[in-house]
Amino acid sequence: QRPAIQQVAATIGEQLQVVEVDATQHPELANRWGVMTVPTTFLIDARGEARFVNHGVTRAEKLLQQIQAL
């Protein structure tokens, strides 16, 4: 997932904040957010609400579409 996120970050720049959490090191956090597969990517709006949840590897193009929808 990291290459797609890096591609999105290169396209969007500083408007994107990426927070990476290792679910094996923070299982309580993964459980609270409902992470069932790794990787899971959340796109969170300005109010802190998850607007898109992607289970498994997601392509950069899809992530960009979701970001534009925010």
Side-chain angles (χ1 to χ4, degrees), residues 43-58:
L43 278 78
I44 300 172
D45 65 16
R47 294 185 309 244
E49 297 178 21
R51 295 274 308 276
F52 295 97
V53 180
N54 300 294
H55 300 281
V57 176
T58 306

Side-chain angles (χ1 to χ4, degrees), residues 3 11 13-15 18-20 26-28 31 33-34 36-37 41 43 45-47 49 51 53 55 57 59 62 67:
T11 301
E14 294 181 13
Q15 298 176 30
V18 177
V19 177
E20 185 175 331
H26 302 282
E28 70 290 344
N31 187 46
W33 280 85
M36 303 296 272
T37 60
T41 307
L43 278 78
D45 65 16
R47 294 185 309 244
E49 297 178 21
R51 295 274 308 276
V53 180
H55 300 281
V57 176
R59 296 175 44 112
K62 182 175 180 179
I67 289 168

